[in-house]
Amino acid sequence: MRNRTKLTACIVVLVYYLLYSVSLIFHLELSIILLKPLAAGIAFFLLENYGYGSAIHKKNKRLVAYALIAWFVADLITAGLHLWVYRTGSDLTQVHDVEMIFYSVVRLLLLGAAIELYYYVSKGSNRFQTMSEIITISSCVIIMTWLVFTQ
């Protein structure tokens, strides 16, 4: 990847992050609803254009790509539902039920990608040690996040 395209990709991600952050800080619900689907779309675009790897990684990359497409579609559908609720003043209960269905598919695809990556990483090594390291690192990240944002 050339330096110019790397810079362009970084600028796109930074602009999106700034727009979404400003929308969150100022509680601009309509812009949050409209910007939310772009995150999965940008991630899919970056994965397809800038993600590289060996033939071993292709299956994992394909699962992540499917998850990002499903995430994008789920975000588009829920954005449409939220806009409909925003215009009509309807109840959000049914919208949340539909969101749970769509996002469960996304989570299952991401879980499949994580399991596939685990088997790739642990190939040729002690799987118990690999799993204990993953659990330890995940626990540290969760505790650190909890301490930073709640204390």
Side-chain angles (χ1 to χ4, degrees):
M1 180 171 31
R2 296 186 325 249
N3 286 337
R4 185 177 179 105
T5 56
K6 283 182 184 179
L7 181 64
T8 305
C10 288
I11 289 172
V12 167
V13 170
L14 184 63
V15 167
Y16 174 80
Y17 178 77
L18 290 174
L19 285 173
Y20 197 77
S21 297
V22 167
S23 299
L24 284 174
I25 290 169
F26 292 111
H27 304 287
L28 304 171
E29 291 181 32
L30 187 60
S31 65
I32 291 171
I33 291 170
L34 295 175
L35 285 172
K36 190 176 177 185
L38 290 178
I42 291 171
F44 175 75
F45 176 77
L46 293 175
L47 177 69
E48 286 299 311
N49 291 312
Y50 303 120
Y52 58 92
S54 63
I56 298 169
H57 293 300
K58 286 188 187 241
K59 186 175 181 183
N60 197 11
K61 182 181 173 183
R62 187 176 61 232
L63 278 173
V64 172
Y66 290 156
L68 290 172
I69 290 170
W71 198 334
F72 180 73
V73 169
D75 278 347
L76 281 178
I77 291 171
T78 56
L81 291 172
H82 277 279
L83 287 174
W84 176 72
V85 167
Y86 188 73
R87 288 182 124 185
T88 62
S90 300
D91 187 26
L92 277 173
T93 306
Q94 293 175 336
V95 172
H96 291 302
D97 293 341
V98 172
E99 282 179 349
M100 282 184 18
I101 292 168
F102 283 114
Y103 289 125
S104 64
V105 171
V106 172
R107 288 184 181 107
L108 286 174
L109 288 169
L110 288 175
L111 178 64
I115 290 170
E116 181 69 31
L117 183 64
Y118 166 73
Y119 280 113
Y120 171 73
V121 168
S122 65
K123 190 183 290 185
S125 66
N126 185 351
R127 288 202 170 139
F128 177 76
Q129 180 182 357
T130 305
M131 185 56 81
S132 64
E133 289 173 358
I134 290 170
I135 291 171
T136 303
I137 292 170
S138 299
S139 299
C140 290
V141 168
I142 290 169
I143 290 170
M144 196 63 156
T145 305
W146 177 74
L147 287 173
V148 167
F149 290 110
T150 62
Q151 300 297 323

